[in-house]
Amino acid sequence: GGELGRAWYDGGRRLNKRNTFDDFIACAEHLVAHGFSSPDRMAARGVSAGGLVMGAVANLRPDLFRSLVMKVPFVDILSTMLDPTLPFTIHEYDEWGNPTEQVVFNY
């Protein structure tokens, strides 16, 4: 996603990843607040990194969704990113950060 420009894109990656989860939750809250849905009827699905969003949302706001589906979720980011022998790991440092850097590891 870069449809809203580079600053918006950067605002949801690396040490700003939490914004992705907060934005997703804010969208769901908006749907509820404006009568489009309710927590007992709200469902969401995420695949791969989208599964990470579902996992985070399940922990941050379990009360907001009736169902969350995670298809091949990328939820063990730290272990994956610490193994540079895995395909794409090094290429993904730009998106997730390099966990060998202490500030990234701590985040």
Side-chain angles (χ1 to χ4, degrees):
E3 301 83 10
L4 298 178
R6 186 66 190 199
W8 177 83
Y9 171 73
D10 287 340
R13 65 187 197 102
R14 301 194 79 174
L15 299 179
N16 299 311
K17 194 64 187 167
R18 172 68 188 254
N19 291 340
T20 300
F21 316 137
D22 293 339
D23 287 353
F24 191 88
I25 289 167
C27 289
E29 290 171 337
H30 177 84
L31 293 174
V32 171
H34 288 82
F36 292 105
S37 191
S38 60
D40 65 321
R41 297 175 49 85
M42 186 88 67
R45 176 179 177 260
V47 179
S48 191
L52 170 67
V53 176
M54 298 302 105
V57 167
N59 285 286
L60 294 169
R61 287 297 306 278
D63 60 302
L64 192 54
F65 296 87
R66 172 122 186 196
S67 175
L68 293 167
V69 177
M70 294 173 259
K71 188 172 180 183
V72 280
F74 182 40
V75 292
D76 191 5
I77 295 167
L78 186 58
S79 294
T80 301
M81 298 305 292
L82 283 170
D83 186 350
T85 66
L86 293 173
F88 304 114
T89 296
I90 294 172
H91 301 290
E92 290 291 326
Y93 287 165
D94 189 48
E95 182 68 25
W96 304 96
N98 182 346
T100 62
E101 298 170 11
Q102 194 64 48
V103 67
V104 174
F105 182 89
N106 292 343
Y107 183 75

